[in-house]
Amino acid sequence: VAALMGMTETIAALAGVAHYAGAIETVIEDTPAGLLVPGPDGPAKTLDEADSKHMLTPYDLAMPLRWAGYVKGVPAAAKRLGFPVAIKILDAEIAHKSKIGGVELNLASEAEVATAVKAIQRNVAHARPDLQNDYFVVEQMVPPSLAELIIGVKRHAELGFVLLVGRGGVDAEVHRNYALTLLPASDRSLERTLDRLCLELPVPDARRSVVAAMRTIADFTADHAVVLAELDINPLLVLEDGSAMAVDALVVVTDREDAGDLQ
């Protein structure tokens, strides 16, 4: 019988026991062999949202129907996709489009789209006068959501790839509520990583949908480990029916000759 001399020591000991028990359970249940080894280092190349989503399209990750192209095609694309729509500036150098006024949501007509395009162009010209502002992505609006998450992958020189899941949206950096796991990871490990966030997901299928999205990103990372440097899905929206949809995506690859074959 261990004597615990104080409340602080008691809580720390109980936390250590719980962590140890969970680690042992994960190891026994399903542990992939080794770490996911990245390819050689190289200069980083950030893909724009359209190209990032194009890379993710073959995988089982729900995304809104979309169109990407020059500004003159935006009204026709919006009408073809069906209102309401969202329109966003499209440039690989603008990682946080909403923070510079590069996003307009819930546009219900061609007139609203035309007004929104002009507003975005003014905002981008003011915030980033060095960039062109005539390339856009148009997407169908996503139904109301219960939660906004972020799923990301970072490449680490010694550890390989680390998968991150946390509270997302435009304030993801402020929340700093996230959990990490090394790749490859078992399904049980992904579930335990999500559980560490203590998210309230009242819809029964929501947790399963988020874990499935994490598995998809883990599989994508394994398939592109040679060139992948970084990946962010933010936000991943948890919808009222329990499904999950990736609204924005950013992929960074090492600028190698074979990187283009993977897009």
Side-chain angles (χ1 to χ4, degrees), residues 20-30 188 192:
Y20 178 78
I24 291 298
E25 180 183 351
T26 300
V27 169
I28 292 175
E29 285 185 353
D30 183 13
R188 179 58 176 159
R192 296 182 69 86

Side-chain angles (χ1 to χ4, degrees), residues 131-148:
L131 300 180
Q132 294 189 0
N133 56 20
D134 56 354
Y135 204 52
F136 284 78
V137 60
V138 184
E139 289 186 336
Q140 286 185 337
M141 277 299 301
V142 178
S145 62
L146 299 174
E148 293 187 5

